[in-house]
């Protein structure tokens, strides 16, 4: 009874803080979950999807392209460099605060410095959020009545891709852009037209941004209306934060954005590298929180968006005029988050690894190919045969994008989402690491509440995440696979680096030589050819030479609009009007009908131009006789 009374008393003390602690936990998990899923890309165990040409009537949003992004990988040396660099920076900020007495100037400098990253991060977070919400309201595909419907924005119709055999013939097209049962609502024509316009505004790209920096970046991104408004909102939010006020919710928005972007840009590369880095930061956090005043002083004195703030009830000895806040550093989210994101990508790697098959190696030059239905059956037959493994090749399953498409997966259901949108895959290690993170966070909050003192969160989060990951691998027998898993594109030794540098220098010399040759050829053509001819060729050469010389390029333009090819048949009346408007005369000659493979035969209409020029009279007469 005494124990139960003690538990009831402690619960009564912690009860007012429960909403604050739940708010903190959800806020920490939000950027980790979203950032980890946004960082998914094609693993090495999957084959590249084949390039397909987009049809003329196909919208940009109907076949979303896989986003290729380059993540900054960590190395084992970072396990030593990170604690040293962050410790030096922390000590520098601490002594600067003590010297300035009032850190207002330092806050302004750091806030404006972080504003650039804040604008880009908020734009990315809001744009992706609006795109996700739009996919629920206006999905590109949905399932209704057992049929998969594809929404065509240009045709403003939804067509049934797969049909279910029923006794009643159902219509194969719908005029509403809404999914599921909502598409069968009898809406007025004006409302339906407005919904189509809204869908096109939210899903179709408006501009194309191209950014190039030699050796560092070469990207081309389609920008829609949601991206533009997100960018404008980000500028307004950053200006309000720096010039007007710094409310806790705006600080958290910047913190969410920083964490969301960082989880898509940073990777531990391997599990053992991530373990080394987290272990070194584990001891770093303990030392600077328990044995020095640096961490607490810098975190409380600097009012910059590198932390999350949460309103909490006032303590007994706190000033009622001030608003009490609990805080969580972004490092306690990003550092364990990169390991959780690695665990999710490892789950995707295992998913495609289990889908690999062995087949007879037809050509040793092409040991890996995509996996289709026919090849899958062939590979199954080959695995049953007595062909040795050395004579077999690995057949990888073709990768389907696992990012985005949340609304499509929701409306398609479990039956169709797996084959259409990349589907859900087993997330064993992701769920294990998230569970370890939640347990570590509960331990942090409990100890902080009992001792009424700030706690180094990594003291509890690092063991929770690492033990859950390696323990799960031990129980499932995946220790070797986890240890050997890497996201590095290529292992570069000193020799390979020198060879790569030599190859780059050779390519640069060849490019400079080609540029000079192109410029000389362009100058010679310009001197020989008349000014009225060859302008297109000269401009192409100049543009090509300029492209090879450029170091940096940035442009925003309207997307290219594909126009259908003109029909081969021209209206007879139109041709007659054109002939009448010109000085030429057209003669209509109907030739005899020719036999064809079909039952019906068509006459052949031929037009012959009659010109007053005697030089052209003879060829025209020959064409008339042939016709």
């Amino acid at each position: 009874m005494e124990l139960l009374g003690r538990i009831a008393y402690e619960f009564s003390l912690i009860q007012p803080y429960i909403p604050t602690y739940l708010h903190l936990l959800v806020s920490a998990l939000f950027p980790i979950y979203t950032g980890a899923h946004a960082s998914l890309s094609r693993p090495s165990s999957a084959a590249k999807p084949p390039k397909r040409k987009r049809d003329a009537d196909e919208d940009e949003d109907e076949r979303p392209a896989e986003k290729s992004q380059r993540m900054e990988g960590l190395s084992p040396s970072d396990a030593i460099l990170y604690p040293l660099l962050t410790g030096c920076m922390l000590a520098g900020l601490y002594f600067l605060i003590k010297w300035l007495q009032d850190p207002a100037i330092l806050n302004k400098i750091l806030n404006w410095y972080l504003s650039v990253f804040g604008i880009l991060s908020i734009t990315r977070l809001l744009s992706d959020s609006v795109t996700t919400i739009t996919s629920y309201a206006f999905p590109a595909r949905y399932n209704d009545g057992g049929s998969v419907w594809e929404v065509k924005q240009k045709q403003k119709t939804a067509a049934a891709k797969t049909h279910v055999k029923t006794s009643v013939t159902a219509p194969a097209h719908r005029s509403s852009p809404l999914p599921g049962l909502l598409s069968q609502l009898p809406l007025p024509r004006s409302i339906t037209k407005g919904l189509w316009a809204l869908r096109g505004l939210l899903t179709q790209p408006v501009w194309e941004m191209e950014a190039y920096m030699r050796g560092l970046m070469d990207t081309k991104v389609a920008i829609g209306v949601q991206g533009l408004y997100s960018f404008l909102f980000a500028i307004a939010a950053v200006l309000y934060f720096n010039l007007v006020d710094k409310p806790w919710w705006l600080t958290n928005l910047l913190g969410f954005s920083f964490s969301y972007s960082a989880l898509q840009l940073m990777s531990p590369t391997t599990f053992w590298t991530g373990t080394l880095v987290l272990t070194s930061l584990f001891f770093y956090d303990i030392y600077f929180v328990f044995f020095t005043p640096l961490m607490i002083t810098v975190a409380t004195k600097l009012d910059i968006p590198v932390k999350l703030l949460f309103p909490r009830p006032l303590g007994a000895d706190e000033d009622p005029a001030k608003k009490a806040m609990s805080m969580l550093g972004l490092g306690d989210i990003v550092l364990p988050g990169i390991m959780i994101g690695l665990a999710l990508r490892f789950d995707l790697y295992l998913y495609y690894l289990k889908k690999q098959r062995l087949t007879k190696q037809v050509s040793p030059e092409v040991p890996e190919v995509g996996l289709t239905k026919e090849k899958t059956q062939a590979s199954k037959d080959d695995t049953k045969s007595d062909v040795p493994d050395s004579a077999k090749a690995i057949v990888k399953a073709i990768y389907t994008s696992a990012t985005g498409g949340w609304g499509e997966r929701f409306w398609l259901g479990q039956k169709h989402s797996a084959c259409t949108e990349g589907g859900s895959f087993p997330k064993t290690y992701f769920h294990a690491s998230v569970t370890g993170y939640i347990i570590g966070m509960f331990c942090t909050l409990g100890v902080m509440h009992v001792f009424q003192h700030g706690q180094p969160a990594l003291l509890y989060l690092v063991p929770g995440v690492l033990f859950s990951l390696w323990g799960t691998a031990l129980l499932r027998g995946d220790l070797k696979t986890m240890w050997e898993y890497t996201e590095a594109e290529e292992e570069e030794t000193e020799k390979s680096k020198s060879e790569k540098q030599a190859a780059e220098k050779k390519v640069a010399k060849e490019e400079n030589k080609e540029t000079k040759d192109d410029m000389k050829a362009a100058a010679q053509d310009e001197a020989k050819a008349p000014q009225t001819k060859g302008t297109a060729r000269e401009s192409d050469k100049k543009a090509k030479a300029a492209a090879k010389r450029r170091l940096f390029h940035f442009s925003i333009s309207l997307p290219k609009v594909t126009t259908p090819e003109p029909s081969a048949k021209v209206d007879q009346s139109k041709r007659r009007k054109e002939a009448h408007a010109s000085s030429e005369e057209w003669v209509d000659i109907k030739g005899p009908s020719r036999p064809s493979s079909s039952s019906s035969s068509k006459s052949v209409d031929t037009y012959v131009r009659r010109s007053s020029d005697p030089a052209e009279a003879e060829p025209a007469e020959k064409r008339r006789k042939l016709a």
Side-chain angles (χ1 to χ4, degrees):
M1 292 298 293
E2 184 178 353
L3 179 61
L4 293 177
R6 181 65 179 177
I7 294 175
Y9 175 73
E10 292 293 338
F11 180 77
S12 64
L13 294 178
I14 201 174
Q15 187 175 4
Y17 295 89
I18 291 178
T20 301
Y21 293 158
L22 291 178
H23 184 193
L24 188 148
L25 182 61
V26 173
S27 299
L29 291 175
F30 170 73
I32 292 177
Y33 186 88
T34 55
H37 282 82
S39 68
L40 289 174
S41 59
R42 184 183 67 87
S44 59
S45 57
K48 292 182 179 181
K51 294 182 179 180
R52 61 182 299 274
K53 294 182 179 180
R54 189 169 60 88
D55 299 334
D57 61 342
E58 188 175 321
D59 300 329
E60 292 289 342
D61 64 315
E62 291 179 11
R63 293 289 187 272
E66 172 68 14
K67 293 181 180 179
S68 59
Q69 55 187 5
R70 186 176 181 180
M71 303 183 74
E72 185 67 26
L74 302 181
S75 60
S77 60
D78 293 326
I80 301 175
L81 292 177
Y82 267 37
L84 291 178
L85 294 177
T86 52
C88 292
M89 182 183 66
L90 192 65
L93 290 174
Y94 174 79
F95 290 115
L96 191 59
I97 291 171
K98 290 297 183 182
W99 179 67
L100 291 174
Q101 298 295 328
D102 185 10
I105 299 177
L106 184 60
N107 281 329
K108 288 184 178 180
I109 295 173
L110 293 177
N111 280 324
W112 283 108
Y113 172 74
L114 295 172
S115 296
V116 178
F117 304 100
I119 291 174
L120 298 177
S121 299
I122 292 177
T123 301
R124 187 170 194 172
L125 175 63
L126 294 183
S127 179
D128 291 350
S129 301
V130 173
T131 302
T132 302
I133 296 172
T134 303
S135 68
Y136 282 96
F138 300 109
R141 286 167 291 277
Y142 62 88
N143 178 28
D144 186 33
S147 300
V148 176
W149 296 79
E150 285 195 359
V151 183
K152 304 288 185 179
Q153 178 65 32
K154 291 183 179 180
Q155 289 77 19
K156 291 183 172 53
T157 183
K161 185 178 178 182
T162 59
H163 293 279
V164 177
K165 294 181 181 181
T166 57
S167 57
V168 181
T169 304
H173 294 82
R174 292 176 180 177
S175 59
S176 175
L178 298 176
L181 296 176
L182 299 176
S183 62
Q184 302 181 21
L185 294 176
L187 298 176
R189 188 174 182 181
S190 58
I191 296 180
T192 303
K193 188 176 180 181
L195 289 174
W196 279 112
L198 179 61
R199 185 184 187 277
L201 196 66
L202 294 174
T203 58
Q204 299 297 305
V206 181
W207 302 277
E208 285 184 353
M209 184 185 70
E210 183 179 0
Y212 170 80
M213 186 175 291
R214 182 179 292 182
L216 294 177
M217 177 177 58
D218 186 8
T219 181
K220 191 174 183 180
V221 182
I223 303 176
V225 175
Q226 70 275 16
L228 175 63
Y229 283 110
S230 300
F231 180 71
L232 296 177
F233 181 86
I235 294 177
V238 168
L239 291 177
Y240 185 88
F241 184 83
N242 287 293
L243 299 177
V244 182
D245 192 15
K246 298 179 177 62
W248 65 269
W249 53 268
L250 190 53
T251 303
N252 289 0
L253 176 61
L254 288 166
F256 289 152
S257 305
F258 288 144
S259 303
Y260 178 75
S261 300
L263 290 174
Q264 299 180 59
L265 298 176
M266 295 177 60
S267 170
T269 308
T270 62
F271 280 98
W272 59 271
T273 301
T275 302
L276 285 176
V277 172
L278 286 184
T279 304
S280 62
L281 292 174
F282 167 81
F283 292 106
Y284 155 86
D285 211 20
I286 294 174
Y287 174 76
F288 281 103
V289 171
F290 286 140
F291 300 99
T292 67
L294 275 65
M295 183 78 74
I296 302 296
T297 303
V298 172
T300 54
K301 294 292 183 181
L302 290 183
D303 192 8
I304 55 178
V306 293
K307 55 191 175 184
L308 299 183
L309 300 176
F310 309 95
R312 62 174 176 82
L314 288 170
D317 55 346
E318 291 181 336
D319 186 5
K322 294 183 179 180
K323 197 171 185 179
M325 290 285 180
S326 296
M327 67 178 65
L328 179 67
L330 296 187
D332 301 328
I333 298 175
V334 175
L335 295 174
I338 60 175
M339 281 296 287
I340 296 175
L342 181 67
L344 181 62
R345 295 189 293 273
F346 181 64
D347 285 327
L348 187 63
Y349 169 82
L350 292 178
Y351 173 69
Y352 280 97
L353 187 66
K354 293 177 181 178
K355 295 176 69 175
Q356 289 182 0
R357 298 291 185 271
L358 289 177
T359 185
K360 289 183 180 179
Q361 186 170 344
V362 179
S363 174
E365 298 177 355
V366 189
E368 297 175 356
V369 295
L371 187 67
T372 59
K373 291 182 178 179
E374 292 80 3
K375 291 178 181 178
T376 304
Q377 185 62 35
S379 62
K380 289 181 179 179
D381 296 339
D382 291 336
T383 53
K384 295 178 181 179
S385 62
D386 297 332
V387 180
D389 292 344
S390 58
K392 295 179 181 179
I394 297 176
V395 180
K396 296 181 178 181
I398 296 176
Y399 176 68
T400 305
S401 177
T403 57
W406 294 89
E408 281 78 4
R409 282 194 285 270
F410 172 78
W411 287 106
L412 285 170
Q414 294 293 332
K415 182 178 180 181
H416 300 282
S417 61
C419 60
T420 309
E421 294 295 331
S424 58
F425 53 93
K427 302 174 184 178
T428 306
Y429 290 94
F430 174 73
H431 292 153
S433 58
V434 169
T435 302
Y437 184 87
I438 293 174
I439 294 174
M441 187 61 72
F442 275 130
C443 293
T444 305
L445 297 175
V447 175
M448 183 181 65
H449 182 81
V450 171
F451 292 97
Q452 294 296 313
H453 186 274
Q455 297 294 315
L458 294 182
L459 172 63
Y460 310 96
L461 296 177
V462 169
V465 172
L466 294 183
F467 286 160
S468 62
L469 282 175
W470 292 106
T472 304
L474 179 63
L475 294 176
R476 294 176 58 88
D478 292 336
L479 274 177
K480 182 180 179 181
T481 307
M482 177 180 282
W483 183 267
E484 295 176 350
Y485 174 73
T486 178
E487 292 184 338
E489 295 181 358
E490 183 180 0
E491 291 292 335
E492 291 185 351
T493 59
E494 294 296 330
K495 183 178 179 180
S496 63
K497 287 182 180 179
S498 60
E499 291 177 355
K500 185 177 180 180
Q501 292 176 357
E504 289 178 352
K505 290 181 180 179
K506 185 177 180 180
V507 171
K509 289 181 180 180
E510 292 178 355
E511 288 181 351
N512 292 332
K513 186 178 179 181
E514 290 179 1
T515 303
K516 293 179 181 179
D517 294 341
D518 291 339
M519 294 178 68
K520 288 181 180 180
Q524 293 175 0
D525 293 342
E526 185 176 359
K528 294 180 181 179
Q531 294 183 356
T532 57
K533 295 182 180 180
T535 56
R537 183 180 178 185
E538 293 168 10
S539 61
D540 291 342
K541 287 185 177 181
K542 289 181 180 179
K544 185 179 179 181
K548 291 180 179 179
R549 292 196 309 270
R550 69 181 182 181
L551 296 175
F552 174 78
H553 171 73
F554 179 83
S555 64
I556 297 178
S557 59
L558 294 173
K560 296 180 180 180
V561 180
T562 56
T563 56
E565 297 182 358
S567 177
K569 295 184 179 181
V570 184
D571 186 34
Q572 183 176 356
S573 61
K574 185 177 179 181
R575 297 292 298 273
R576 289 184 182 277
K577 289 180 181 179
E578 292 177 354
H580 181 70
S582 63
S583 59
E584 301 169 346
E585 182 182 357
W586 292 84
V587 180
D588 184 6
I589 302 176
K590 281 190 177 279
S593 59
R594 300 180 181 179
S596 61
S597 59
S598 60
S599 58
S600 61
S601 59
K602 298 182 180 179
S603 61
V604 180
D605 294 346
T606 309
Y607 295 91
V608 179
R609 186 179 67 175
R610 182 179 296 171
S611 176
S612 58
D613 189 0
E616 296 183 359
E618 184 177 356
E621 184 65 23
K622 288 182 179 180
R623 289 195 298 271
R624 184 183 65 80
K625 290 180 180 180
L626 290 174

